[in-house]
Structure formats: structure tokens, C-alpha cells
């Protein structure tokens, strides 16, 4: 029996047949590998070359070069910020692609998780170096930025696109998240009150012990929230009207993903790693940038740093709001704030405990009061389950007041951080 020949890339290769008439596994596997390479190249083209914001990507490597060749910390800080922004936007895009496969609830949770991975890595890195105040202020700034700036811009953009109607979202989602945020405020408030009323049993030790106990309770509460959200009450967390609304009214609901599910997962991992890598240089340049830019370290930590870290949430929340998918927007903005306050902050306290660092929940009186007022404002905004551009504008203006407050605020603990 003659051995058939198969033409591959202009060359003819022998391909002995197997008993069932097919080709040997070596040929079929080469075809499979060729298809894998084509899919990978297509995925790179879609993720890297379709966004104009990716023109800022070279600033990332440039910041690393500047870090090792010059002492100009202001430029390193600026270049790191510019380099992280397109990566964070692509992080939001990859999460949106994954949300097509997982649904809005899990999609929003994934977005909050990958969006906050950078903050968590920065916090652990800073804790290792004993920069407790940087950890506290950057995480507080992330909460404020998500609740006021990110959600405000999303409501404003969605309200402008859909001017003729009020956008709606699940009241149940807003109520549970608001309750968790108020619980987080309680966890942060009591150590601060204990400290400033000088009513500790053991000076300096009681507030740390209370913080560690409260952190464990908050972690249990967050784990219970995840179980409640993802397993038992999925009907409550489905988008409003998703069962009754006809699909032709919202053609975007049936949109297909541009990349595969595992491609999206791979991109999420790669982008999260690169963002976290650049964030290390960003943190190292904070104090030098404060001197060269003549800005307080507290302002940089609370206002500028979270804007960069939340770029993924910012971009994706606005994108979803403009597509009238406010349930995902809420999951991204408020869900991210809930995750930072109920998981990342308590987790950092526990990690600091294992490292021997006295990381506590005493965020000082000014920061705790700011968070308390912010949570109250946002809770009142969300209680009726509707959104429009006026609410978005009010949240943005509230954030400007907060930013101005931290610009003139002197951190009493700056010398101890």
C-alpha cells in the first residue's frame, strides 16, 4: 500500500494512514498547534491593537528605565501612572469579555477582584516595608474613589446617553452592599474612637487587639456575603426585568464575546501581573514625587494613587452604564468598595499580624469621618434603585470636596509611617 503525501507549507511530507483511514496524530497535532497560534495572534491583535489608549503602554517600560537611570522621582511617578492606565482599561475589557460567559453577578465580582488585585499587592508590599499609613490611606482612597468618582462618572455618562429615562438597578444589591459598607465603617470607627477618647485598657495594645478581632469578624461577614450572593439568592441579583424584557429591546444583551473564555482568563492574569509590577515603582516614587511636585503625601495616597488603581473599574463601569447594564456597574463600583472595606483592609490587618506589623483599623479621625459621610451619601443615592445624570454629577462634586479636603489636610501620623 502506497503512503499518501500531504502538502504542508509548500512541502510534501509522508503521512502513513492509520487503520481507520485517518492521519497519524503527529499531523493532526501540528494542525491543532497552528490553529492555537492563529487564535493567540488574533487575541493579541484584538486586546493590544484595537484601543487607542494603548499608545500610552510604552510609558510603563520607560518608568522602569527612569527608575534605574535617574533620580527624578516625579517623572517615574508620572510615567508609571500613564503606563498603568491603558493596562487597567484593557483589564476592564477582558473582564467584560469574561462576563459574557459568566453572567452579570459573577462578572461584576470578577471585575472587582481583578481591579483590586493591584491594591492588595501594593498594600502587602508597603506592609513589608512598614508603610502602614500608605496602606491605610491608599485603601481608603480606593473606597472613596469607587463610591464617588467611579460610580458618579458611570451614572453621569449613562444618564447622558439615556437622557429620556431613569436607569434602574436592583435595590436588593444596593441595600446589601450599603449594609456591608456601614458595617465596615463600624469596624473602622471603634478603634479610632477608642484611641481618641483615651479609654483603652492597655495603651496602644487594646486598639490593635480590637482591630484584629474586628478584622476576623469582617472576613467572616464577607465570606457569608459571597455565599449569599452567588448561591442562594441568584434571582434577586439578576438584572431588573431580565426575565420579562424582550431581547429585541436590548440587542447588546445578546452580544458575542470577541475572545474566548480561557483567553480572557489568561489576559486577566497577564495584565494583573504587569499592573502590579509597575505599581511597585509607583509606590517607591511617592515620597520623591511629593517633594518634586510639592503635593502632600496624604493627597497623593488618597486621591492620585486610587485614580490610577481604579482605572479598570472606572473604564468598565462607564462602559456598562452607557450600555444600560447598571447591575454590572453597581457590582463593579459598589462591589469593589465593599470588597476593599470588608476583605482587603481586614486581610491586610491579618497579614500585618503575621508579619509582626501593628497594622490596625484606626484610620484616624479625619479619614474615618470622611468615609462615614461618604457611605451615608451613597446609601441615600441608591435607596430608590434609579440612576440619572444629576445623581452622577452630585457624586462627582462630592468627590471634588473630598479631594480638596485632603489637599489641605496634614496627616498627624506622617512622621510615624
Amino acid at each position: 500500500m502506497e503512503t499518501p503525501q500531504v502538502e504542508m507549507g509548500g512541502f510534501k511530507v509522508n503521512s502513513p494512514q492509520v487503520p481507520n483511514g485517518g492521519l497519524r496524530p503527529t499531523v493532526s497535532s501540528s494542525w491543532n498547534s497552528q490553529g492555537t497560534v492563529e487564535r493567540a495572534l488574533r487575541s493579541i491583535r484584538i486586546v493590544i491593537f484595537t484601543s487607542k489608549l494603548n499608545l500610552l503602554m510604552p510609558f510603563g517600560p520607560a518608568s522602569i528605565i527612569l527608575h534605574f537611570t535617574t533620580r527624578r522621582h516625579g517623572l517615574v511617578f508620572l510615567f508609571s501612572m500613564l503606563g498603568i492606565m491603558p493596562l487597567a482599561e484593557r483589564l476592564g475589557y477582558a473582564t467584560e469579555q469574561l462576563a459574557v460567559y459568566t453572567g452579570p453577578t459573577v462578572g461584576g465580582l470578577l471585575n472587582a477582584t481583578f481591579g483590586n488585585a493591584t491594591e492588595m499587592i501594593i498594600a502587602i508590599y508597603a506592609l513589608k516595608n512598614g508603610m502602614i499609613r500608605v496602606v491605610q490611606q491608599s485603601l481608603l482612597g480606593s473606597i472613596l474613589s469607587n463610591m464617588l468618582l467611579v460610580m458618579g462618572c458611570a451614572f453621569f455618562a449613562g444618564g447622558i446617553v439615556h437622557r429620556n429615562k431613569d436607569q434602574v438597578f436592583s435595590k436588593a444589591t444596593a441595600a446589601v452592599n450599603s449594609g456591608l459598607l456601614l458595617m465596615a465603617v463600624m469596624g473602622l470607627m471603634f478603634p479610632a474612637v477608642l484611641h481618641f477618647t483615651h479609654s483603652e485598657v492597655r495603651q496602644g495594645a487594646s486598639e490593635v487587639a480590637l482591630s484584629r478581632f474586628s478584622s476576623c469578624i469582617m472576613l467572616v461577614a464577607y465570606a457569608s456575603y459571597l455565599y449569599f450572593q452567588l448561591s442562594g439568592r441568584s434571582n434577586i441579583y439578576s438584572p431588573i426585568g431580565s426575565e420579562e424584557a424582550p431581547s429585541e429591546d436590548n440587542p447588546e444583551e445578546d452580544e458575542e464575546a470577541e475572545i474566548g473564555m480561557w483567553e480572557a482568563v489568561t489576559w486577566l492574569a497577564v495584565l494583573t501581573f504587569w499592573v502590579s509590577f509597575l505599581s511597585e515603582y509607583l509606590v517607591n516614587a511617592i515620597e520623591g514625587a511629593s517633594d518634586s511636585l510639592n503635593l502632600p503625601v496624604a493627597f497623593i495616597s488618597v486621591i492620585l494613587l486610587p485614580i490610577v488603581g481604579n482605572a479598570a473599574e472606572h473604564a468598565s463601569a462607564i462602559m456598562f452604564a452607557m450600555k444600560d447594564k447598571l447591575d454590572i456597574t453597581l457590582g463593579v463600583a459598589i462591589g469593589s468598595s465593599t470588597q476593599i472595606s470588608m476583605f482587603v483592609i481586614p486581610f491586610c490587618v491579618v497579614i500585618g499580624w503575621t508579619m509582626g506589623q501593628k497594622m490596625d483599623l484606626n484610620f484616624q479621625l479625619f479619614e474615618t469621618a470622611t468615609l462615614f459621610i461618604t457611605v451615608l451619601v451613597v446609601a441615600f443615592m441608591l435607596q430608590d434603585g434609579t440612576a440619572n445624570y444629576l445623581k452622577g454629577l452630585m457624586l462627582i462634586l462630592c468627590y471634588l470636596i473630598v479631594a480638596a479636603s485632603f489637599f489641605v489636610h496634614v496627616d498627624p501620623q506622617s512622621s510615624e509611617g
Side-chain angles (χ1 to χ4, degrees), residues 36-353:
T36 303
V37 171
E38 288 177 356
R39 285 195 303 271
L41 291 175
R42 178 178 172 273
S43 178
I44 292 172
R45 178 179 59 81
I46 292 173
V47 175
I48 302 297
F49 297 105
T50 57
S51 173
K52 293 180 181 178
L53 193 61
N54 288 346
L55 292 173
L56 296 176
M57 277 189 179
F59 282 103
S63 69
I64 299 175
I65 295 172
L66 282 174
H67 173 79
F68 289 105
T69 57
T70 70
R71 294 290 181 183
R72 304 180 69 176
H73 298 290
L75 274 180
V76 174
F77 182 80
L78 180 63
F79 278 34
S80 298
M81 284 204 312
L82 293 175
I84 288 174
M85 284 180 182
L87 299 174
E89 188 275 331
R90 289 288 84 187
L91 199 62
Y93 168 80
T95 307
E96 184 194 11
Q97 296 299 303
L98 191 57
V100 174
Y101 299 99
T102 61
T105 301
V106 181
L109 185 64
L110 284 171
N111 198 303
T113 302
F114 279 96
N116 293 327
T118 301
E119 282 93 334
M120 188 179 296
I121 293 173
I122 289 175
I124 293 174
Y125 171 79
L127 268 179
K128 191 187 252 187
N129 290 276
M131 303 164 66
I132 294 176
R133 285 300 287 165
V134 171
V135 175
Q136 291 177 330
Q137 290 175 338
S138 63
L139 293 178
L140 173 77
S142 293
I143 299 172
L144 299 176
S145 175
N146 273 304
M147 286 197 295
L148 295 177
L149 185 63
V150 173
M151 194 165 65
C153 289
F155 281 7
F156 184 77
I160 293 296
V161 172
H162 304 279
R163 287 186 299 273
N164 57 342
K165 67 169 185 176
D166 273 354
Q167 294 179 287
V168 293
F169 53 84
S170 172
K171 288 183 184 179
T173 308
V176 172
N177 279 282
S178 297
L180 284 169
L181 287 169
L182 284 170
M183 181 179 178
V185 170
M186 179 188 292
L188 297 180
M189 183 174 288
F190 285 126
V193 171
L194 194 68
H195 175 79
F196 285 100
T197 56
H198 306 289
S199 55
E200 301 171 81
V201 174
R202 288 185 297 161
Q203 187 69 28
S206 296
E207 65 183 83
V208 175
L210 175 62
S211 297
R212 290 169 177 173
F213 176 79
S214 298
S215 295
C216 294
I217 297 298
M218 291 161 72
L219 288 173
V220 171
Y222 186 72
S224 303
Y225 159 70
L226 289 185
Y227 178 80
F228 176 84
Q229 185 185 36
L230 297 178
S231 63
R233 301 296 183 93
S234 59
N235 59 325
I236 291 181
Y237 289 90
S238 60
I240 291 179
S242 61
E243 312 242 338
E244 302 83 13
S247 60
E248 59 267 15
D249 292 341
N250 292 304
E252 291 91 356
E253 297 295 328
D254 299 325
E255 65 185 5
E256 295 182 0
E258 296 179 4
I259 58 178
M261 183 175 73
W262 290 111
E263 292 173 32
V265 171
T266 302
W267 277 113
L268 284 173
V270 170
L271 291 168
T272 299
F273 171 79
W274 183 232
V275 168
S276 304
F277 186 71
L278 284 181
S279 297
E280 181 175 336
Y281 295 93
L282 189 71
V283 170
N284 287 335
I286 286 178
E287 292 191 2
S290 173
D291 295 333
S292 60
L293 300 175
N294 198 22
L295 290 173
V297 174
F299 180 81
I300 293 177
S301 299
V302 177
I303 303 301
L304 297 185
L305 208 57
I307 289 178
V308 178
N310 291 333
E313 289 99 325
H314 207 144
S316 57
I318 292 175
M319 194 163 41
F320 287 128
M322 293 175 70
K323 292 180 179 180
D324 204 15
K325 298 179 179 179
L326 274 198
D327 286 286
I328 305 183
T329 295
L330 212 64
V332 169
I334 297 297
S336 181
S337 297
T338 303
Q339 188 178 54
I340 293 173
S341 60
M342 293 295 293
F343 173 71
V344 179
I345 290 177
F347 181 75
C348 287
V349 172
V350 174
I351 290 295
W353 190 2

